[in-house]
Amino acid sequence: MGIIHINKLKEGMILDEEVRDINGRLLLKKNKTIQSSHIRIFKIWGITEVNIQGSNGNKEAPTYEDDPEEIEIIRKKTVDLYRHVDLEHPAVKEIFEISVRFRSKYNLSETEKMINLSDVDTEHKTNGRDFLKKLSKENISLPEIPSIVFELNEVIANPLSSAEDIAQVVHRSPSLTALLLKIVNSPFYGFPSKIDKISLAVTLIGLREISGLALGISIISLFNNIPKEILSMHSFLRHSLACGIISRILAAHKGLPQTEQLFVSGLLHDLGRLILYIYFPNESRNILSLARSTNSLLYQQEDDHLGCNHTHVAKHLLQQWKLPMVLENNVFFHHNPSDAQQPIPATLVHIADIITNGLGIGTSGERFVPALDHAAWENLGLSPSCFDVVSKQAAHQLFALESMLDI
Ligand SMILES: [Fe+2]
Ligand SMILES: [Fe+2]
């Protein structure tokens, strides 16, 4: 017997343990033979792995699960990453325990390898207070998002727009059409039958949601421009996707509508860092080096050296791009959500970022688990007990999304 990932599940295998959804509802009894309809149902309900008779488990995933010594080493390393948070806090404690299990199972933590640092270059020290002025006044050619996103925003703003209207805009970009259809047909959504039309996808997922996805997909191309000598683009994208996916799942747990907006907010939460790495590589290298040598949080080093941090840079851009206010709200306040006008969605991104950093899924350059906003957590009213199932669902969706996006 053994646990196998849902993607490895085949018809004819026999369940060694019953399968239940996140609400505890029985989906399939022990000793049942797996059929294709079962696999589809598991995917719809976000089941990531099941226990199968006679299986030795999923051998492809690097795992130390059965080696107590290795787990102890991982536990000690993980404690160090939590030095800026209170490990006694119930939410942090739960995330920490999941981190140890997750890190021993997936070995995704590439943070150290992915950040290439040289010595601090004192010649390129930035005059802190003037940084935002520099950003706005020196006419830096900030990356433009495709015009299709603006058109989508316009269609959505019109209350008379139909699913057909939005499909017409999306169809203008064949690559966006293809990718959107690929995503809506993936386990990320788990619809039982094939969706071959954008208008149908709009009807099923919602007008705003599709626009949010289109926006996220369009912006992903910007990630290609990160200088390799600073950070791996793959690692940054993985951190961003994971934060988006976790934000979306947490939103679903909170029963919020418009979960796609949370996906895009999570995807873009460290957008400011992306801009810093691309347009201010010398300053970025110094800030990363200093954070490393002093064991401090990256955004605090940004504040010290630029007089602002990546959230201010992102706000500047999002305003320039005239994107929905809720995006600005969630991105700008993802480190201090209790100051946000809409604290609940900002807190979901905040928690998703903490989970993503804790689990070590890619990195945006931060080495440690960022500080928890205690007041925002209290206000959120979420139970830490959901984090385990959230992390499993997120890992499943992340792998599916990554293989779809070919990254
Ligand atoms: Fe951040
Ligand atoms: Fe982040």
Side-chain angles (χ1 to χ4, degrees):
M1 67 166 197
I3 304 281
I4 76 161
H5 194 272
I6 203 80
N7 288 346
K8 308 268 173 206
L9 198 57
K10 299 230 161 48
E11 283 179 67
M13 289 177 165
I14 297 169
L15 271 188
D16 201 36
E17 198 181 326
E18 63 186 24
V19 179
R20 291 181 180 271
D21 70 8
I22 54 169
N23 299 316
R25 191 168 58 122
L26 182 67
L27 297 179
L28 198 60
K29 284 184 184 163
K30 188 180 168 173
N31 295 327
K32 283 276 180 196
T33 306
I34 300 286
Q35 292 167 10
S36 61
S37 57
H38 298 141
I39 301 176
R40 210 172 57 222
I41 288 166
F42 293 163
K43 285 182 177 173
I44 290 170
W45 286 102
I47 306 296
T48 55
E49 39 193 33
V50 292
N51 205 343
I52 287 294
Q53 287 182 12
S55 162
N56 291 323
N58 180 3
K59 286 183 181 155
E60 281 176 30
T63 170
Y64 311 115
E65 279 175 298
D66 300 325
D67 185 343
E69 267 180 44
E70 196 63 51
I71 288 181
E72 210 31 55
I73 294 170
I74 290 170
R75 181 173 284 274
K76 278 190 186 137
K77 272 192 196 164
T78 309
V79 168
D80 187 49
L81 303 175
Y82 280 70
R83 63 167 68 202
H84 296 287
V85 275
D86 174 13
L87 263 174
E88 292 305 310
H89 187 284
V92 177
K93 206 173 184 172
E94 178 68 11
I95 297 171
F96 172 77
E97 287 305 327
I98 296 167
S99 295
V100 174
R101 289 202 296 277
F102 193 90
R103 284 166 183 265
S104 21
K105 185 168 180 187
Y106 290 110
N107 193 18
L108 284 176
S109 185
E110 303 161 307
T111 313
E112 293 301 315
K113 293 184 273 187
M114 292 301 167
I115 304 173
N116 308 305
L117 295 174
S118 49
D119 292 335
V120 174
D121 176 0
T122 45
E123 279 190 23
H124 285 99
K125 212 157 191 180
T126 307
N127 179 359
R129 306 297 147 195
D130 292 337
F131 185 77
L132 275 182
K133 264 192 211 159
K134 192 171 161 183
L135 189 70
S136 51
K137 285 193 179 162
E138 280 190 18
N139 203 17
I140 298 159
S141 61
L142 295 167
E144 291 300 330
I145 50 172
S147 62
I148 201 159
V149 171
F150 293 106
E151 288 181 48
L152 283 171
N153 279 342
E154 268 176 37
V155 177
I156 285 159
N158 181 352
L160 299 175
S161 294
S162 66
E164 208 41 64
D165 293 331
I166 201 157
Q168 269 183 17
V169 177
V170 171
H171 283 151
R172 251 172 260 156
S173 163
S175 58
L176 181 62
T177 306
L179 206 48
L180 265 178
L181 286 176
K182 227 170 160 185
I183 289 177
V184 293
N185 280 298
S186 75
F188 192 62
Y189 283 101
F191 290 121
S193 51
K194 192 165 163 53
I195 298 159
D196 53 3
K197 281 193 192 132
I198 291 292
S199 55
L200 180 57
V202 174
T203 311
L204 287 169
I205 296 169
L207 215 65
R208 276 167 210 282
E209 312 293 278
I210 280 289
S211 162
L213 266 182
L215 169 66
I217 292 168
S218 309
I219 288 178
I220 279 176
S221 59
L222 296 180
F223 289 72
N224 287 323
N225 300 331
I226 301 178
K228 281 190 189 67
E229 67 276 12
I230 293 185
L231 188 66
S232 137
M233 163 257 172
H234 178 255
S235 202
F236 197 110
L237 184 51
R238 179 169 252 187
H239 173 81
S240 307
L241 281 172
C243 187
I245 290 170
I246 297 173
S247 301
R248 176 178 180 263
I249 299 173
L250 287 173
H253 274 261
K254 271 296 292 173
L256 296 188
Q258 298 190 3
T259 54
E260 254 42 63
Q261 219 159 50
L262 264 298
F263 173 68
V264 180
S265 302
L267 184 68
L268 298 184
H269 78 288
D270 278 335
L271 174 74
R273 229 164 236 168
L274 186 69
I275 300 306
L276 288 175
Y277 294 157
I278 296 171
Y279 291 92
F280 303 91
N282 293 321
E283 288 87 344
S284 297
R285 231 174 272 127
N286 286 349
I287 290 166
L288 281 160
S289 292
L290 284 160
R292 182 58 40 93
S293 61
T294 56
N295 280 328
S296 51
L297 285 169
L298 193 55
Y299 68 79
Q300 283 165 356
Q301 283 297 334
E302 290 167 358
D303 271 329
D304 285 355
H305 287 264
L306 304 175
C308 66
N309 63 49
H310 62 286
T311 62
H312 300 89
V313 177
K315 183 181 178 181
H316 177 81
L317 269 172
L318 293 173
Q319 283 178 344
Q320 191 167 309
W321 290 345
K322 299 188 176 57
L323 293 181
M325 277 299 285
V326 66
L327 264 187
E328 193 187 311
N329 175 82
N330 299 349
V331 171
F332 184 50
F333 292 104
H334 77 267
H335 285 294
N336 54 326
S338 39
D339 296 335
Q341 260 188 332
Q342 294 184 56
I344 297 293
T347 306
L348 293 174
V349 179
H350 173 68
I351 299 296
D353 187 37
I354 290 177
I355 296 177
T356 306
N357 279 290
L359 265 49
I361 312 178
T363 179
S364 68
E366 179 57 84
R367 186 176 163 210
F368 299 109
V369 176
L372 173 74
D373 182 332
H374 287 224
W377 167 256
E378 294 303 325
N379 187 37
L380 184 63
L382 199 72
S383 164
S385 62
C386 75
F387 292 158
D388 192 34
V389 74
V390 166
S391 307
K392 284 180 181 154
Q393 287 177 333
H396 170 59
Q397 293 188 4
L398 177 70
F399 298 145
L401 204 55
E402 281 190 333
S403 60
M404 245 181 324
L405 296 170
D406 237 356
I407 50 173

